[in-house]
């Protein structure tokens, strides 16, 4: 299972995504934003960071990078695509996901371990979870407030396309506590928290068992690997 990780100017978490893929049993493939070649990968990850310095709007310039033409085409053909934080912003700017991300309502950058509730466990990236399951994933963003029209929000809710919801505290003012959404087909998922930072004991969130022992993020990467192998 070969999973492409696209590096944009200003990407920070691409190497972390590579490590997460390896720990899940996949082969990470480094892809460059200026290329049109997806190198035959089986899935794609748009990692977190500050692409192009977050000028204009977060993810807006990166969404026009050459490789995004191929990403959009591949996603529309059903290739699994995961956008994490800045990657989620790119997917919204590229209109692969609905809504948008704006400045946190408190005006400050936030970094914390965040509890999420899995609302949709049937996407390509969430099948290792159960609907209603609560997981802890690190969060770090300055422009993570999810917005959409009431009509769009109602449609996302009605179609089961809210993938994750914040639990306990809404860290950025996202409407209806939405932390992540999926497209109608379920192959494209975007979320603001960083699952690639919760994949290895000793380096993840604190748990009741031990400090830094949380590995809830690993399920994102094992989900897409197992699902794709089964479908193949």
């Amino acid at each position: 299972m070969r999973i492409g990780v696209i590096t944009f100017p200003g990407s920070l978490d691409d190497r972390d995504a590579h490590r997460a893929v390896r720990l899940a049993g996949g082969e990470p493939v480094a892809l460059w934003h200026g290329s049109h070649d997806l190198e035959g990968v089986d899935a794609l990850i748009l990692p977190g960071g500050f692409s192009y310095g977050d000028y204009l709007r977060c993810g807006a310039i990166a969404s026009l990078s050459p490789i995004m033409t191929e990403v959009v085409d591949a996603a529309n053909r059903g290739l699994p695509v995961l956008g994490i934080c800045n990657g989620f912003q790119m997917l919204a700017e590229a209109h692969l996901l609905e809504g948008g991300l704006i400045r946190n309502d408190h005006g400050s950058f936030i970094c914390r371990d965040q509890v999420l509730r899995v609302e949709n466990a049937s996407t390509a990236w969430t099948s290792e979870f159960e609907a209603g399951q609560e997981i802890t994933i690190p969060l770090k963003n300055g422009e993570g407030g999810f917005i959409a029209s009431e009509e769009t929000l109602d449609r996302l809710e009605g179609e089961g396309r809210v993938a994750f919801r914040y639990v306990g505290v809404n860290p950025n003012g996202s409407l209806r506590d939405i932390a992540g959404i999926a497209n109608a087909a379920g192959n494209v998922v975007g979320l603001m928290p960083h699952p690639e930072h919760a994949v290895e004991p000793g380096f993840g969130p604190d748990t009741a068992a031990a400090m830094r022992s949380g590995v809830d993020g690993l399920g994102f990467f094992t989900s897409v690997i197992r699902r794709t192998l089964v479908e193949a």
Side-chain angles (χ1 to χ4, degrees), residues 45-104:
I45 297 172
L46 278 61
F50 300 92
S51 60
Y52 293 93
D54 281 346
Y55 291 112
L56 186 59
R57 293 184 308 276
C58 296
I61 301 175
S63 72
L64 301 176
S65 289
I67 203 167
M68 289 301 293
T69 301
E70 316 309 322
V71 173
V72 171
D73 288 345
N76 287 334
R77 292 195 306 269
L79 192 78
V81 180
L82 177 66
I84 302 171
C85 196
N86 196 215
F88 183 11
Q89 294 160 340
M90 293 178 208
L91 293 177
E93 291 287 346
H95 306 295
L96 283 172
L97 293 175
E98 296 179 74
L101 288 307
I102 63 170
R103 186 75 181 167
N104 296 347

Side-chain angles (χ1 to χ4, degrees), residues 7 11 16 19 21 29 52 64 71 89 92 103 107 121-122 176 184 186 192 213 219 221 227:
T7 297
S11 293
D16 301 84
R19 184 168 183 79
V21 170
V29 178
Y52 293 93
L64 301 176
V71 173
Q89 294 160 340
R103 186 75 181 167
S122 63
R176 303 193 189 181
M192 288 310 298
S213 62
F221 308 98
R227 181 157 175 169

Side-chain angles (χ1 to χ4, degrees), residues 55-175:
Y55 291 112
L56 186 59
R57 293 184 308 276
C58 296
I61 301 175
S63 72
L64 301 176
S65 289
I67 203 167
M68 289 301 293
T69 301
E70 316 309 322
V71 173
V72 171
D73 288 345
N76 287 334
R77 292 195 306 269
L79 192 78
V81 180
L82 177 66
I84 302 171
C85 196
N86 196 215
F88 183 11
Q89 294 160 340
M90 293 178 208
L91 293 177
E93 291 287 346
H95 306 295
L96 283 172
L97 293 175
E98 296 179 74
L101 288 307
I102 63 170
R103 186 75 181 167
N104 296 347
D105 61 350
H106 46 74
S108 300
F109 186 91
I110 188 166
C111 183
R112 55 172 284 129
D113 291 341
Q114 177 67 49
V115 179
L116 307 177
R117 183 168 60 250
V118 179
E119 300 285 3
N120 184 339
S122 63
T123 78
W125 299 91
T126 60
S127 58
E128 291 289 291
F129 302 112
E130 303 226 346
Q133 180 179 348
E134 294 189 359
I135 60 177
T136 302
I137 303 293
L139 172 79
K140 50 177 186 176
N141 64 70
E143 299 191 23
F146 180 77
I147 59 168
S149 68
E150 284 298 312
E151 177 184 0
T152 298
L153 290 168
D154 288 342
R155 184 171 67 256
L156 292 174
E157 300 268 19
E159 295 177 357
R161 291 169 53 199
V162 175
F164 301 96
R165 216 180 296 268
Y166 296 116
V167 175
V169 62
N170 184 325
N172 46 36
S174 290
L175 298 180

Side-chain angles (χ1 to χ4, degrees), residues 18-56:
H18 279 249
R19 184 168 183 79
V21 170
R22 282 195 297 270
L23 288 170
E27 176 189 348
V29 178
L31 300 177
W32 180 241
H33 77 108
S35 170
H36 282 284
D37 188 1
L38 296 182
E39 300 188 21
V41 297
D42 303 297
L44 287 167
I45 297 172
L46 278 61
F50 300 92
S51 60
Y52 293 93
D54 281 346
Y55 291 112
L56 186 59

